[in-house]
Amino acid sequence: MKTIRSTIPRSNLAMRWLRLHLLATTVARETFLGTTCVVIDALRATTTIAQAVAAGAREVRVFEEVEPARRAALTLERAEYVLAGERGGKRIEGFDLGNSPAEFVPERVGGRTILFTTTNGTRALARCGLAGEVLVAAAVNLESAAAALAGATSVDLVCAGTDGEVSREDVLVAGGLVARLLADSGWEPTDEALLARDAWQAVVGTAVGALRQNLLARAMAESRGGRNLLALGLGEDIRWSAGVNSLAVVPKYDGATGVVTK
Amino acid sequence: MKTIRSTIPRSNLAMRWLRLHLLATTVARETFLGTTCVVIDALRATTTIAQAVAAGAREVRVFEEVEPARRAALTLERAEYVLAGERGGKRIEGFDLGNSPAEFVPERVGGRTILFTTTNGTRALARCGLAGEVLVAAAVNLESAAAALAGATSVDLVCAGTDGEVSREDVLVAGGLVARLLADSGWEPTDEALLARDAWQAVVGTAVGALRQNLLARAMAESRGGRNLLALGLGEDIRWSAGVNSLAVVPKYDGATGVVTK
């Protein structure tokens, strides 16, 4: 019996490209043309968006600036919307909610439009406007985001960063996604993707459940963004944001409309 | 007896800043004004420079382009210089040596001027021209480089990268330096520095000696630069470059002259 060999050289087999961008704002928009982007702003915008969607928000409209969000509110009935967002980590004056994910409970956001403005996360989403699809990910929906990439062949993990600097927490979460994806064969990761995976493994190792949450929260608390939150008395947000796989949603962002939906 | 307390708040105590730049070419030159830079091009330029200096080379003159290196050779006696460098990983035609560190033995380079041109490492060194001091580091002289930073208060670890992309091997080595430095108190690391430290720990863990070299070589071999070297049949260079602390030198680069000396 003859062994049947594929005549396709290994390098020509369908590879799946897995790139990671440590800082969204340093990447040209054209980089994402037609790819599947996964935007991560782990402390806290993408965590909060995932929570809002999981809690039954109708949609999340994302604004880079405060005033357009306020103006959008004027076009809606009061019961239809929740005005939410932060500047400098703090709730914006006159807004209903800040950017603490735990505030986005079904009683507050269910069935409503969230008018949402944060700095880094919003800008990172906007930067992916040319992508074929833009998913919103954080530690809280890591597994769901990975599952949503099952059919993707060209993936860009996009870390939002903080005020133009790399954020450790975003890269760690992106690294968790890399670790999860590389469990399947066929991916071709960049060096940055491998580095992020390394960092995730150093922090979380093989821990699961509450231990994993504790380890990730501790690392997030050491980061610049984490220390900012601690200084603002928002340490509970870090714990919340480190809750790996607590939510089973993958919000999708539409670059044409700036709207995130389930 | 009264406890004597410092009246200086902790945040005003002399902090030592430890920044890490994943990709030299994305950093503005002014960033390094007056700081202590440590340039890392682990595969292979800074490894080779460290080896050349350890082997007794008089100096290493660094050139961004090939022709200036050739012209410099015309000004020296044949016995005085060694023309060395690579393009696309390969020895440049007519050059005495390529960029394989093991070739830079005392018999070849002792007492001589090395006229050296590589792409990424050379550009990374040139980018640090405004620094107060520029050290050349790699895995092979990690401990010596760390010791040389004993008096520094503002340190920039500068990863050369490869053709404008982040190189895993450079970041790993930089992370090893971060891990070593943070063993002393007083450093304030950036998120990027912590991420690199995380990655180093994931790869090397607590291993020492031959095991550490094996683990680091394996990770380097997975990187884009490492795979390029393997494809060129230069796998032995990876092993050599992963030899942590095999050399006790800290070459210094003079931005005004482009010359590296012990």
Side-chain angles (χ1 to χ4, degrees), chain A residues 68-128:
Chain A
R70 287 195 207 273
R71 282 199 299 274
L74 299 175
T75 69
L76 296 168
E77 297 291 330
R78 188 62 195 89
E80 282 183 324
Y81 72 86
V82 173
L83 198 50
E86 54 84 16
R87 283 298 178 275
K90 288 184 265 194
R91 180 164 62 87
I92 296 160
E93 208 186 313
F95 272 39
D96 303 317
L97 297 176
N99 187 19
S100 289
E103 292 181 328
F104 290 69
V105 290
E107 305 80 63
R108 294 297 295 271
V109 304
R112 296 202 168 93
T113 291
I114 315 297
L115 307 171
F116 190 54
T117 178
T118 71
T119 41
N120 306 296
T122 305
R123 267 173 218 153
L125 287 167
R127 188 150 288 255
C128 300

